[in-house]
Amino acid sequence: MNKKRVYRIYIEEGLQVRTKKRKKRASHLRVVPPVASQQNERWSMDFVHDNLYDGRKFRALTVVDNYTRECKTIAADFHLNGKKVAEVLTQVARRHGLPKLITVDNGSEFISKALDLWAYQNNVKLDFIRPGKPTENAYIESFNGRLRDECLNASIFVSLADAKAKLESWRLDYNEHRPHSSIGNLTPKEFARKSQKTRTA
């Protein structure tokens, strides 16, 4: 049947096509927060993906302190939902304390009820970037690019345990032996210690 005729009949009969309700996205800050000025003020986190030698896929959650550039964790697993992300952050908080704000994208893990509850209970603000704007989370994008080039693409992982060990080894090397020009040519670990001493002095 002619499309124009169908359209004309729809108009004459006052018919309407039911539209599917769009899934509500997580709300995000309308005003961009200022650049972090101290440790644990603002973190960024995201996921990277890779495969084991046998073809099985795994994911890794990366968390970085925007001020010190220190990588707080690289948590690898076959499945990382919102509940597991919250568990990882709880473990990280025991060692490093809690941030005031964490910048994330609109992935299903980050907009989950489990992570929202964790953030509420720990008084942490989740700062959602605009969909399709990864540059708004530039710190973690840059970090994940380096992780991809220097570790993921350069390594063969025979098991999940092997992947965890190699990722942790790379993380420690990044934190303790890699000077960054943006933090006075200090390593993230050195800069974190220096900023901590300055705050307590």
Side-chain angles (χ1 to χ4, degrees):
M1 186 177 283
N2 187 288
K3 288 190 291 185
K4 291 182 180 179
R5 185 179 179 187
V6 172
Y7 178 74
R8 180 172 54 79
I9 294 172
Y10 260 69
I11 296 299
E12 289 175 356
E13 296 296 327
L15 301 175
Q16 290 183 349
V17 178
R18 290 184 180 178
T19 55
K20 189 177 181 181
K21 288 186 178 181
R22 294 183 65 184
K23 187 176 181 181
K24 186 178 179 182
R25 290 186 179 272
S27 60
H28 55 273
L29 298 179
R30 299 298 179 186
V31 179
V32 178
V35 177
S37 59
Q38 62 184 21
Q39 188 175 1
N40 284 349
E41 184 175 328
R42 186 174 186 180
W43 292 359
S44 294
M45 66 179 177
D46 200 1
F47 290 100
V48 291
H49 304 76
D50 210 326
N51 300 324
L52 300 182
Y53 183 71
D54 61 11
R56 285 182 295 169
K57 297 179 180 180
F58 71 90
R59 312 174 76 197
L61 176 71
T62 55
V63 182
V64 173
D65 187 305
N66 290 17
Y67 181 68
T68 65
R69 306 298 197 272
E70 184 179 9
C71 176
K72 301 297 186 180
T73 189
I74 304 177
D77 208 334
F78 292 120
H79 303 287
L80 283 165
N81 56 20
K83 184 179 179 181
K84 286 191 175 180
V85 170
E87 290 172 358
V88 170
L89 290 174
T90 297
Q91 294 171 4
V92 173
R94 291 193 187 108
R95 300 193 305 268
H96 303 283
L98 287 166
K100 295 179 181 177
L101 182 148
I102 305 177
T103 302
V104 294
D105 62 25
N106 287 272
S108 59
E109 303 83 5
F110 300 143
I111 64 173
S112 67
K113 291 181 179 179
L115 189 60
D116 186 58
L117 177 62
W118 177 88
Y120 174 77
Q121 290 175 338
N122 291 279
N123 197 29
V124 174
K125 179 75 175 180
L126 295 178
D127 173 23
F128 293 95
I129 66 172
R130 290 176 295 172
K133 300 287 184 179
T135 53
E136 292 183 2
N137 205 0
Y139 287 103
I140 202 70
E141 291 293 330
S142 175
F143 175 84
N144 285 349
R146 181 173 291 186
L147 174 62
R148 170 70 58 191
D149 292 339
E150 298 179 3
C151 184
L152 298 177
N153 290 346
S155 305
I156 294 175
F157 307 112
V158 296
S159 66
L160 184 61
D162 181 46
K164 288 181 177 181
K166 288 175 178 175
L167 288 168
E168 180 62 11
S169 177
W170 186 89
R171 185 186 76 87
L172 293 175
D173 180 66
Y174 175 88
N175 283 341
E176 298 174 9
H177 304 290
R178 304 283 191 89
H180 288 249
S181 59
S182 59
I183 52 176
N185 289 315
L186 298 173
T187 67
K189 207 74 173 178
E190 289 171 337
F191 186 72
R193 290 195 196 101
K194 183 179 178 180
S195 63
Q196 188 67 29
K197 289 179 180 177
T198 302
R199 288 183 64 191
T200 56

